[in-house]
Amino acid sequence: NGKLNVAIDGPAGAGKSTVARRVASELSYIYVDTGAMYRAVTYYMLRHEIEPEDVDSVLKHLRELSIELVPDANGQKVLLNGEDVSGPIRSREVTGIVSLYSQIEDLRAHLVELQRVMALRKGVVMDGRDIGTTVLPDAEVKIFMTASVKERALRRFNELEKTDDLTLEQLESDIAARDKLDQEREISPLRQADDAIVLDTTSMSIDEVVEHIVSRCYEVG
Ligand code: C5P
């Protein structure tokens, strides 16, 4: 059908989801936010008071849980056993601990399998940490998006509601801590694929990044 798969990886707050959503919309592809899947699992485990160290319990509960990504006006809605959890999965509580759950090997295997099924028919833009390396090693276009920690914290800061009393310094250290866990974990750590195009977006606009990726897709496809 002439469609490609596009893998977009990179550290927290690099703008992957904004860019991936826009690329998908320009190409009429499906956007898959894999971070939202790890966040939904984390939200569920927190709600049931299952600690990330209790691997057996995590895996047992994983079997009871269904995650759906449903397209909507804002890009995508996340349904956990049918309930819309798109808001709560972005809380600081979930963000602060998701990297501990996402270290669990069998949990990853389960989500990776779901993600591969979503991409079977191609025409998918998938963002995450291990898409180009593990989930879709055959993706026709692989992008590794980065930006300095300062710039990424600043972008997050500018998106925050005035009621959140997080400082720029807190955001910066939260992001750095999460990157460290994601990079140093044993199972498919955050790493650029050998055949990925690296885009340092520190001084690029969203439009520029989107255009770069879309034109790469036209070159390949
Ligand atoms: O992309 P986002 O910041 O929403 O991802 C949340 C967390 O989910 C990451 O910090 C990482 O621990 C985990 N994740 C992952 N593999 C992916 C996507 C996300 O381990 N493909």
Side-chain angles (χ1 to χ4, degrees):
N1 59 7
K3 291 185 170 176
L4 320 168
N5 281 334
V6 183
I8 303 184
D9 292 299
K16 298 184 298 290
S17 59
T18 308
V19 164
R21 186 178 300 137
R22 291 258 315 260
V23 170
S25 134
E26 292 212 12
L27 298 171
S28 301
Y29 281 11
I30 294 166
Y31 166 52
V32 177
D33 175 357
T34 65
M37 300 170 76
Y38 289 92
R39 286 171 180 273
V41 170
T42 300
Y43 176 74
Y44 181 93
M45 298 300 162
L46 285 175
R47 209 153 77 172
H48 291 81
E49 297 180 19
I50 302 158
E51 317 251 319
E53 293 77 23
D54 190 356
V55 174
D56 289 344
S57 257
V58 170
L59 297 177
K60 189 171 137 255
H61 282 79
L62 191 60
R63 283 187 235 117
E64 304 163 355
L65 160 173
S66 95
I67 300 170
E68 288 168 274
L69 303 178
V70 187
D72 80 346
N74 304 320
Q76 184 161 92
K77 227 168 34 184
V78 185
L79 301 183
L80 176 63
N81 294 337
E83 178 191 343
D84 185 356
V85 294
S86 316
I89 63 167
R90 307 282 161 199
S91 69
R92 192 171 183 223
E93 193 190 6
V94 169
T95 304
I97 201 167
V98 56
S99 293
L100 297 186
Y101 291 97
S102 60
Q103 291 178 338
I104 300 173
E105 182 168 16
D106 290 344
L107 187 160
R108 299 199 67 82
H110 179 75
L111 294 186
V112 166
E113 201 176 300
L114 295 177
Q115 292 154 10
R116 286 184 179 148
V117 170
M118 293 176 185
L120 272 181
R121 283 191 274 167
K122 304 245 176 171
V124 160
V125 182
M126 195 176 279
D127 81 345
R129 302 293 186 289
D130 60 340
I131 312 306
T133 53
T134 304
V135 181
L136 305 176
D138 297 329
E140 287 79 3
V141 175
K142 296 183 187 180
I143 306 291
F144 193 83
M145 265 182 74
T146 62
S148 68
V149 181
K150 265 218 153 54
E151 172 65 20
R152 289 185 279 130
L154 197 60
R155 289 177 189 173
R156 273 283 145 90
F157 189 71
N158 292 330
E159 283 171 4
L160 286 182
E161 314 274 329
K162 295 257 178 334
T163 48
D164 293 322
D165 51 0
L166 272 176
T167 66
L168 186 57
E169 289 68 34
Q170 272 170 326
L171 278 172
E172 205 175 312
S173 76
D174 285 2
I175 286 177
R178 189 145 64 98
D179 284 352
K180 187 167 153 60
L181 284 170
D182 289 343
Q183 281 159 353
E184 293 180 355
R185 72 170 173 239
E186 226 166 292
I187 316 299
S188 34
L190 169 65
R191 180 168 76 64
Q192 76 195 56
D194 295 333
D195 50 352
I197 300 169
V198 181
L199 284 183
D200 183 339
T201 68
T202 305
S203 47
M204 284 172 89
S205 70
I206 291 170
D207 283 346
E208 284 174 316
V209 179
V210 170
E211 194 181 318
H212 197 99
I213 299 175
V214 169
S215 50
R216 181 71 199 147
C217 292
Y218 285 127
E219 269 168 46
V220 171

